[in-house]
């Protein structure tokens, strides 16, 4: 570590770089999020091994993520078990997951009101949030730029049943008090959303200072990437916030249970269908089709539900294939070890 001495205590990983991580360690040795906000934290650089991993308190070494809690004992650093894990699908064709943030209490899904918000994107990010084990919260930004804020709040509430929805303007401060109330009790937050949604501007508004660089929206209305890495930011009052780069394409990592939580209105209809194996197409007594015909369920939301169900099943199948491949690799390793041990016994 680069502080010229050894430290003991618990910290949080604030940034992950190639070959090292930054660890935020409070000056008084307590965990960030519980310390006196006036205490100045200490940031340490901790090298990872060649594979980019750190040893774990329990189990095999892990690839660290922003938000991970670490136990520092002298010059040794161990990653503690995670209480929540926000992940997205890898950008390649493997089944590997990319952990966006660890140990968060609330996933703040940021969607802009200008340009027009995407309800489908909200549904995808809600599915990711539900799967993480944290609580989702929808924040609609740039409310000062539109005149139909209440309409879009209603639309967001319709696609996020049971989830809080807050409209804010980081520029004017409108809605920030409501957001603070919605976040009551949360210690660690993570912001996710598309480029240009105003995440960095919102971080600056919440922190009371310009801790993140902000940028202009492009001429076509699409956002520009101003956050290039995930970073943990201490907020006044002891909260911690993780900002993330904009997600233009969101590969979901979700269980069918997470999809069901996002679409609990449709799941309630499914429970009313006459047949347990209803395909929701032309079966008699299908409550889903009846809701579609009556205009009580939109074709857009029904299609989105179907699509996310398929994606979640494909992801689960790919994960099963990866587990099976790892089991085969371990079996071959044990078999080679057994053969080598047998040869050595034969030589004795």
């Amino acid at each position: 570590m680069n502080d010229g001495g050894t430290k003991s205590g618990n910290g949080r990983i604030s940034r992950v770089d190639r070959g090292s991580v930054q660890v935020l360690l409070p000056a008084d040795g307590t965990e960030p999020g519980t310390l006196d906000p006036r205490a100045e934290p200490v940031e340490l650089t901790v090298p990872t091994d060649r594979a980019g991993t750190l040893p774990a308190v329990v189990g095999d070494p892990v690839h660290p993520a922003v938000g991970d809690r670490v136990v520092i004992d002298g010059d040794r650093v161990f990653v503690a078990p995670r209480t929540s894990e926000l992940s997205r699908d890898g950008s390649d064709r493997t089944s590997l997951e990319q952990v966006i943030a660890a140990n968060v209490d609330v996933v703040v899904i940021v969607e802009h009101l200008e340009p027009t918000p995407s309800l489908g994107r909200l549904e995808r990010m809600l599915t990711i949030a539900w799967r993480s084990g944290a609580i989702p919260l929808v924040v609609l930004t740039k409310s000062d730029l539109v005149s139909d804020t209440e309409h879009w709040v209603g639309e967001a509430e319709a696609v996020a049943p049971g989830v809080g929805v807050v409209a804010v303007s980081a520029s004017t401060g409108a809605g920030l008090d409501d957001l603070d109330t919605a976040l009551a009790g949360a210690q660690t937050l993570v912001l996710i959303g598309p480029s240009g949604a105003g995440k960095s501007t919102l971080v600056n508004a919440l922190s009371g200072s310009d801790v993140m660089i902000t940028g202009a929206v492009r001429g076509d209305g699409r956002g520009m990437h101003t956050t290039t890495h995930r970073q943990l930011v201490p907020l006044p009052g002891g909260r911690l916030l993780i900002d993330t780069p904009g997600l233009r394409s969101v590969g979901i990592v979700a269980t069918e249970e997470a999809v069901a939580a996002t679409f609990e209105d449709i799941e309630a209809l499914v429970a009313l269908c006459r047949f347990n194996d209803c395909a929701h197409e032309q079966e008699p007594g299908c409550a889903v089709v009846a809701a579609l015909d009556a205009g009580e369920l939109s074709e857009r939301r029904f299609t989105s539900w179907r699509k996310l169900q398929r994606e979640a099943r494909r992801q689960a199948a790919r994960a099963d294939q990866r587990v099976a491949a790892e089991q085969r690799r371990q079996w071959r390793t044990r078999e080679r070890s057994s053969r080598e041990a047998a040869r050595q016994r034969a030589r004795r």
Side-chain angles (χ1 to χ4, degrees), residues 266-291:
I266 299 182
E267 294 295 326
L269 292 172
V270 170
L272 299 176
C273 290
R274 181 183 301 176
F275 303 108
N276 292 334
D277 59 348
C278 183
H280 318 300
E281 293 174 353
Q282 297 179 347
E283 295 84 351
C286 176
V288 175
V289 171

Side-chain angles (χ1 to χ4, degrees), residues 174-197:
L176 291 181
D177 288 342
D178 293 334
L179 176 57
D180 188 65
T181 300
L183 294 172
Q187 289 188 351
T188 305
L189 327 170
V190 60
L191 269 61
I192 61 173
S195 300

Side-chain angles (χ1 to χ4, degrees), residues 1-3 5-16 19-25 42-49 52-65 67-81:
M1 292 180 284
N2 70 343
D3 66 328
T6 60
K7 297 283 182 182
S8 296
N10 298 327
R12 298 289 292 273
I13 292 179
S14 60
R15 177 168 170 164
V16 178
S20 67
V21 298
Q22 297 294 316
V23 175
L24 193 67
L25 185 68
V42 178
E43 196 161 43
L44 308 174
T45 300
V46 178
T48 58
D49 62 16
T53 66
L54 289 174
V57 172
V58 179
D60 297 330
V62 297
H63 289 277
D68 267 327
R69 293 182 173 91
V70 297
V71 176
I72 301 177
D73 183 10
D75 286 326
R76 305 185 70 190
V77 178
F78 302 87
V79 177

Side-chain angles (χ1 to χ4, degrees), residues 24-167:
L24 193 67
L25 185 68
D28 61 0
T30 60
E31 180 185 331
T34 60
L35 75 163
D36 184 336
R38 294 168 296 180
E40 186 67 26
V42 178
E43 196 161 43
L44 308 174
T45 300
V46 178
T48 58
D49 62 16
R50 290 184 177 181
T53 66
L54 289 174
V57 172
V58 179
D60 297 330
V62 297
H63 289 277
V66 174
D68 267 327
R69 293 182 173 91
V70 297
V71 176
I72 301 177
D73 183 10
D75 286 326
R76 305 185 70 190
V77 178
F78 302 87
V79 177
R82 294 166 177 165
T83 57
S84 64
E85 188 177 87
L86 182 70
S87 303
R88 62 175 291 175
D89 196 5
S91 58
D92 56 16
R93 294 185 178 181
T94 70
S95 59
L96 298 178
E97 300 177 12
Q98 179 187 12
V99 179
I100 299 173
N103 303 311
V104 297
D105 305 308
V106 177
V107 178
V108 180
I109 302 168
V110 183
E111 179 69 22
H112 49 64
L113 289 169
E114 174 61 34
T116 302
S118 168
L119 298 179
R121 182 165 55 222
L122 272 180
E123 289 163 341
R124 296 180 71 82
M125 292 192 180
L126 280 163
T127 303
I128 293 174
W130 281 122
R131 191 262 190 183
S132 73
I135 302 299
L137 174 68
V138 175
V139 176
L140 303 176
T141 59
K142 307 183 182 182
S143 63
D144 57 310
L145 301 181
V146 299
S147 59
D148 55 353
T149 297
E150 291 304 314
H151 165 76
W152 284 112
V153 168
E155 290 289 312
E157 289 175 340
V159 302
V163 176
V165 178
V166 181

